[in-house]
mmCIF file of all heavy atoms in Angstrom:
data_model
loop_
_atom_site.group_PDB
_atom_site.id
_atom_site.type_symbol
_atom_site.label_atom_id
_atom_site.label_comp_id
_atom_site.label_asym_id
_atom_site.label_seq_id
_atom_site.Cartn_x
_atom_site.Cartn_y
_atom_site.Cartn_z
ATOM 1 N N ILE A 51 6.158 -9.833 37.035
ATOM 2 C CA ILE A 51 5.381 -8.633 36.721
ATOM 3 C C ILE A 51 5.032 -8.603 35.237
ATOM 4 O O ILE A 51 3.920 -8.220 34.856
ATOM 5 C CB ILE A 51 6.159 -7.373 37.150
ATOM 6 C CG1 ILE A 51 6.207 -7.287 38.675
ATOM 7 C CG2 ILE A 51 5.535 -6.117 36.573
ATOM 8 C CD1 ILE A 51 7.075 -6.179 39.200
ATOM 9 N N LEU A 52 5.969 -9.027 34.379
ATOM 10 C CA LEU A 52 5.686 -9.039 32.945
ATOM 11 C C LEU A 52 4.613 -10.061 32.590
ATOM 12 O O LEU A 52 3.798 -9.821 31.694
ATOM 13 C CB LEU A 52 6.962 -9.344 32.163
ATOM 14 C CG LEU A 52 7.958 -8.200 32.057
ATOM 15 C CD1 LEU A 52 9.229 -8.676 31.372
ATOM 16 C CD2 LEU A 52 7.375 -7.044 31.284
ATOM 17 N N LEU A 53 4.598 -11.193 33.274
ATOM 18 C CA LEU A 53 3.615 -12.223 32.952
ATOM 19 C C LEU A 53 2.228 -11.878 33.471
ATOM 20 O O LEU A 53 1.224 -12.228 32.851
ATOM 21 C CB LEU A 53 4.068 -13.568 33.519
ATOM 22 C CG LEU A 53 5.313 -14.163 32.857
ATOM 23 C CD1 LEU A 53 5.722 -15.445 33.559
ATOM 24 C CD2 LEU A 53 5.070 -14.422 31.383
ATOM 25 N N ASP A 54 2.145 -11.187 34.619
ATOM 26 C CA ASP A 54 0.848 -10.841 35.191
ATOM 27 C C ASP A 54 0.933 -9.430 35.772
ATOM 28 O O ASP A 54 1.070 -9.254 36.985
ATOM 29 C CB ASP A 54 0.464 -11.851 36.272
ATOM 30 C CG ASP A 54 -0.979 -11.692 36.702
ATOM 31 O OD1 ASP A 54 -1.724 -10.968 36.024
ATOM 32 O OD2 ASP A 54 -1.353 -12.299 37.722
ATOM 33 N N PRO A 55 0.847 -8.385 34.935
ATOM 34 C CA PRO A 55 1.064 -7.027 35.432
ATOM 35 C C PRO A 55 -0.063 -6.503 36.304
ATOM 36 O O PRO A 55 0.151 -5.622 37.123
ATOM 37 C CB PRO A 55 1.208 -6.196 34.157
ATOM 38 C CG PRO A 55 0.495 -6.971 33.123
ATOM 39 C CD PRO A 55 0.639 -8.419 33.494
ATOM 40 N N TYR A 56 -1.271 -7.013 36.148
ATOM 41 C CA TYR A 56 -2.400 -6.461 36.896
ATOM 42 C C TYR A 56 -2.519 -7.035 38.296
ATOM 43 O O TYR A 56 -3.277 -6.536 39.107
ATOM 44 C CB TYR A 56 -3.700 -6.685 36.115
ATOM 45 C CG TYR A 56 -3.683 -5.967 34.800
ATOM 46 C CD1 TYR A 56 -3.570 -6.664 33.610
ATOM 47 C CD2 TYR A 56 -3.741 -4.582 34.751
ATOM 48 C CE1 TYR A 56 -3.527 -6.000 32.400
ATOM 49 C CE2 TYR A 56 -3.694 -3.912 33.544
ATOM 50 C CZ TYR A 56 -3.590 -4.623 32.381
ATOM 51 O OH TYR A 56 -3.543 -3.964 31.191
ATOM 52 N N ARG A 57 -1.775 -8.088 38.592
ATOM 53 C CA ARG A 57 -1.834 -8.684 39.928
ATOM 54 C C ARG A 57 -1.211 -7.758 40.969
ATOM 55 O O ARG A 57 -1.658 -7.690 42.105
ATOM 56 C CB ARG A 57 -1.093 -10.025 39.927
ATOM 57 C CG ARG A 57 -1.125 -10.742 41.247
ATOM 58 C CD ARG A 57 -0.450 -12.077 41.141
ATOM 59 N NE ARG A 57 0.878 -11.954 40.518
ATOM 60 C CZ ARG A 57 2.007 -11.877 41.214
ATOM 61 N NH1 ARG A 57 1.972 -11.899 42.512
ATOM 62 N NH2 ARG A 57 3.163 -11.769 40.595
ATOM 63 N N SER A 58 -0.185 -6.999 40.576
ATOM 64 C CA SER A 58 0.515 -6.151 41.536
ATOM 65 C C SER A 58 -0.134 -4.782 41.692
ATOM 66 O O SER A 58 0.283 -4.003 42.545
ATOM 67 C CB SER A 58 1.967 -5.973 41.096
ATOM 68 O OG SER A 58 2.017 -5.351 39.834
ATOM 69 N N MET A 59 -1.151 -4.478 40.888
ATOM 70 C CA MET A 59 -1.804 -3.176 40.991
ATOM 71 C C MET A 59 -2.879 -3.208 42.080
ATOM 72 O O MET A 59 -3.553 -4.223 42.259
ATOM 73 C CB MET A 59 -2.444 -2.795 39.657
ATOM 74 C CG MET A 59 -1.441 -2.553 38.559
ATOM 75 S SD MET A 59 -2.216 -2.191 36.989
ATOM 76 C CE MET A 59 -2.990 -0.642 37.348
ATOM 77 N N PRO A 60 -3.045 -2.121 42.822
ATOM 78 C CA PRO A 60 -4.106 -2.088 43.831
ATOM 79 C C PRO A 60 -5.482 -2.048 43.167
ATOM 80 O O PRO A 60 -5.645 -1.554 42.053
ATOM 81 C CB PRO A 60 -3.836 -0.804 44.606
ATOM 82 C CG PRO A 60 -3.045 0.045 43.669
ATOM 83 C CD PRO A 60 -2.251 -0.899 42.811
ATOM 84 N N THR A 61 -6.473 -2.564 43.891
ATOM 85 C CA THR A 61 -7.820 -2.602 43.326
ATOM 86 C C THR A 61 -8.522 -1.264 43.430
ATOM 87 O O THR A 61 -9.399 -0.954 42.646
ATOM 88 C CB THR A 61 -8.672 -3.671 44.029
ATOM 89 O OG1 THR A 61 -8.669 -3.403 45.428
ATOM 90 C CG2 THR A 61 -8.112 -5.046 43.768
ATOM 91 N N SER A 62 -8.163 -0.435 44.408
ATOM 92 C CA SER A 62 -8.790 0.879 44.541
ATOM 93 C C SER A 62 -7.964 1.913 43.791
ATOM 94 O O SER A 62 -6.780 1.750 43.567
ATOM 95 C CB SER A 62 -8.892 1.276 46.009
ATOM 96 O OG SER A 62 -7.607 1.376 46.564
ATOM 97 N N THR A 63 -8.604 3.004 43.428
ATOM 98 C CA THR A 63 -7.906 4.084 42.736
ATOM 99 C C THR A 63 -7.826 5.298 43.640
ATOM 100 O O THR A 63 -8.439 5.350 44.707
ATOM 101 C CB THR A 63 -8.638 4.462 41.427
ATOM 102 O OG1 THR A 63 -9.941 4.929 41.771
ATOM 103 C CG2 THR A 63 -8.747 3.268 40.495
ATOM 104 N N TRP A 64 -7.105 6.318 43.190
ATOM 105 C CA TRP A 64 -6.938 7.517 44.011
ATOM 106 C C TRP A 64 -8.238 8.299 44.104
ATOM 107 O O TRP A 64 -8.442 9.077 45.009
ATOM 108 C CB TRP A 64 -5.834 8.397 43.421
ATOM 109 C CG TRP A 64 -6.134 8.860 42.025
ATOM 110 C CD1 TRP A 64 -5.827 8.219 40.869
ATOM 111 C CD2 TRP A 64 -6.815 10.055 41.651
ATOM 112 N NE1 TRP A 64 -6.274 8.926 39.789
ATOM 113 C CE2 TRP A 64 -6.880 10.071 40.231
ATOM 114 C CE3 TRP A 64 -7.388 11.111 42.357
ATOM 115 C CZ2 TRP A 64 -7.489 11.097 39.532
ATOM 116 C CZ3 TRP A 64 -7.990 12.139 41.646
ATOM 117 C CH2 TRP A 64 -8.043 12.125 40.256
ATOM 118 N N ALA A 65 -9.131 8.103 43.160
ATOM 119 C CA ALA A 65 -10.373 8.879 43.148
ATOM 120 C C ALA A 65 -11.446 8.272 44.047
ATOM 121 O O ALA A 65 -12.509 8.872 44.213
ATOM 122 C CB ALA A 65 -10.893 8.982 41.715
ATOM 123 N N ASP A 66 -11.209 7.098 44.642
ATOM 124 C CA ASP A 66 -12.215 6.488 45.518
ATOM 125 C C ASP A 66 -12.428 7.294 46.799
ATOM 126 O O ASP A 66 -13.488 7.236 47.393
ATOM 127 C CB ASP A 66 -11.803 5.061 45.881
ATOM 128 C CG ASP A 66 -11.997 4.116 44.707
ATOM 129 O OD1 ASP A 66 -12.739 4.478 43.773
ATOM 130 O OD2 ASP A 66 -11.413 3.021 44.737
ATOM 131 N N GLY A 67 -11.429 8.062 47.207
ATOM 132 C CA GLY A 67 -11.537 8.795 48.453
ATOM 133 C C GLY A 67 -12.269 10.124 48.339
ATOM 134 O O GLY A 67 -12.515 10.781 49.339
ATOM 135 N N LEU A 68 -12.613 10.540 47.148
ATOM 136 C CA LEU A 68 -13.315 11.811 46.985
ATOM 137 C C LEU A 68 -14.775 11.652 47.414
ATOM 138 O O LEU A 68 -15.468 10.745 46.978
ATOM 139 C CB LEU A 68 -13.252 12.257 45.517
ATOM 140 C CG LEU A 68 -11.848 12.515 44.975
ATOM 141 C CD1 LEU A 68 -11.924 12.881 43.500
ATOM 142 C CD2 LEU A 68 -11.177 13.633 45.740
ATOM 143 N N GLU A 69 -15.245 12.575 48.254
ATOM 144 C CA GLU A 69 -16.597 12.400 48.788
ATOM 145 C C GLU A 69 -17.635 13.233 48.041
ATOM 146 O O GLU A 69 -18.644 12.725 47.584
ATOM 147 C CB GLU A 69 -16.602 12.756 50.272
ATOM 148 C CG GLU A 69 -15.765 11.795 51.077
ATOM 149 C CD GLU A 69 -15.718 12.165 52.548
ATOM 150 O OE1 GLU A 69 -16.312 13.184 52.935
ATOM 151 O OE2 GLU A 69 -15.071 11.429 53.299
ATOM 152 N N GLY A 70 -17.436 14.537 47.892
ATOM 153 C CA GLY A 70 -18.450 15.369 47.280
ATOM 154 C C GLY A 70 -18.236 15.595 45.800
ATOM 155 O O GLY A 70 -19.089 16.151 45.130
ATOM 156 N N LEU A 71 -17.117 15.183 45.292
ATOM 157 C CA LEU A 71 -16.788 15.469 43.897
ATOM 158 C C LEU A 71 -16.955 14.223 43.046
ATOM 159 O O LEU A 71 -16.792 13.100 43.506
ATOM 160 C CB LEU A 71 -15.334 15.944 43.805
ATOM 161 C CG LEU A 71 -14.990 17.202 44.595
ATOM 162 C CD1 LEU A 71 -13.496 17.435 44.570
ATOM 163 C CD2 LEU A 71 -15.702 18.400 44.003
ATOM 164 N N GLU A 72 -17.283 14.464 41.816
ATOM 165 C CA GLU A 72 -17.333 13.337 40.893
ATOM 166 C C GLU A 72 -15.921 13.056 40.393
ATOM 167 O O GLU A 72 -15.064 13.927 40.383
ATOM 168 C CB GLU A 72 -18.250 13.668 39.715
ATOM 169 C CG GLU A 72 -19.699 13.793 40.109
ATOM 170 C CD GLU A 72 -20.582 13.919 38.883
ATOM 171 O OE1 GLU A 72 -20.191 13.408 37.818
ATOM 172 O OE2 GLU A 72 -21.646 14.535 39.009
ATOM 173 N N LYS A 73 -15.715 11.839 39.982
ATOM 174 C CA LYS A 73 -14.388 11.466 39.510
ATOM 175 C C LYS A 73 -14.055 12.238 38.240
ATOM 176 O O LYS A 73 -14.863 12.338 37.339
ATOM 177 C CB LYS A 73 -14.339 9.964 39.231
ATOM 178 C CG LYS A 73 -14.488 9.140 40.494
ATOM 179 C CD LYS A 73 -14.431 7.669 40.190
ATOM 180 C CE LYS A 73 -14.628 6.878 41.456
ATOM 181 N NZ LYS A 73 -14.640 5.447 41.229
ATOM 182 N N GLY A 74 -12.848 12.800 38.187
ATOM 183 C CA GLY A 74 -12.416 13.545 37.015
ATOM 184 C C GLY A 74 -12.623 15.041 37.152
ATOM 185 O O GLY A 74 -12.097 15.800 36.370
ATOM 186 N N GLN A 75 -13.396 15.500 38.139
ATOM 187 C CA GLN A 75 -13.638 16.929 38.340
ATOM 188 C C GLN A 75 -12.971 17.357 39.640
ATOM 189 O O GLN A 75 -13.574 17.382 40.695
ATOM 190 C CB GLN A 75 -15.136 17.220 38.398
ATOM 191 C CG GLN A 75 -15.864 16.892 37.119
ATOM 192 C CD GLN A 75 -17.347 17.149 37.244
ATOM 193 O OE1 GLN A 75 -17.855 17.387 38.338
ATOM 194 N NE2 GLN A 75 -18.053 17.076 36.120
ATOM 195 N N PHE A 76 -11.696 17.687 39.541
ATOM 196 C CA PHE A 76 -10.941 18.039 40.740
ATOM 197 C C PHE A 76 -10.325 19.427 40.637
ATOM 198 O O PHE A 76 -9.531 19.812 41.472
ATOM 199 C CB PHE A 76 -9.822 17.011 40.979
ATOM 200 C CG PHE A 76 -8.908 16.840 39.827
ATOM 201 C CD1 PHE A 76 -7.777 17.626 39.689
ATOM 202 C CD2 PHE A 76 -9.158 15.891 38.866
ATOM 203 C CE1 PHE A 76 -6.930 17.470 38.628
ATOM 204 C CE2 PHE A 76 -8.305 15.720 37.796
ATOM 205 C CZ PHE A 76 -7.189 16.527 37.672
ATOM 206 N N ASP A 77 -10.700 20.221 39.624
ATOM 207 C CA ASP A 77 -10.069 21.522 39.450
ATOM 208 C C ASP A 77 -10.498 22.506 40.535
ATOM 209 O O ASP A 77 -9.753 23.396 40.911
ATOM 210 C CB ASP A 77 -10.348 22.087 38.061
ATOM 211 C CG ASP A 77 -11.836 22.055 37.708
ATOM 212 O OD1 ASP A 77 -12.622 21.453 38.482
ATOM 213 O OD2 ASP A 77 -12.200 22.630 36.681
ATOM 214 N N HIS A 78 -11.710 22.381 41.092
ATOM 215 C CA HIS A 78 -12.136 23.295 42.156
ATOM 216 C C HIS A 78 -11.656 22.839 43.525
ATOM 217 O O HIS A 78 -11.708 23.609 44.481
ATOM 218 C CB HIS A 78 -13.663 23.415 42.159
ATOM 219 C CG HIS A 78 -14.196 23.982 40.889
ATOM 220 N ND1 HIS A 78 -13.958 25.288 40.511
ATOM 221 C CD2 HIS A 78 -14.937 23.431 39.901
ATOM 222 C CE1 HIS A 78 -14.543 25.516 39.348
ATOM 223 N NE2 HIS A 78 -15.141 24.406 38.933
ATOM 224 N N ALA A 79 -11.213 21.640 43.649
ATOM 225 C CA ALA A 79 -10.761 21.123 44.936
ATOM 226 C C ALA A 79 -9.383 21.652 45.290
ATOM 227 O O ALA A 79 -8.978 21.555 46.438
ATOM 228 C CB ALA A 79 -10.735 19.595 44.910
ATOM 229 N N LEU A 80 -8.658 22.220 44.332
ATOM 230 C CA LEU A 80 -7.312 22.721 44.617
ATOM 231 C C LEU A 80 -7.341 24.061 45.322
ATOM 232 O O LEU A 80 -6.376 24.443 45.967
ATOM 233 C CB LEU A 80 -6.523 22.837 43.300
ATOM 234 C CG LEU A 80 -6.269 21.542 42.560
ATOM 235 C CD1 LEU A 80 -5.583 21.824 41.230
ATOM 236 C CD2 LEU A 80 -5.442 20.609 43.399
#
Side-chain angles (χ1 to χ4, degrees):
I51 290 173
L52 285 175
L53 292 176
D54 191 12
Y56 297 109
R57 181 177 50 97
S58 61
M59 294 177 66
T61 56
S62 62
T63 62
W64 61 271
D66 286 342
L68 298 177
E69 294 178 358
L71 300 172
E72 293 188 27
K73 294 180 182 177
Q75 297 178 349
F76 56 89
D77 50 352
H78 298 293
L80 297 175

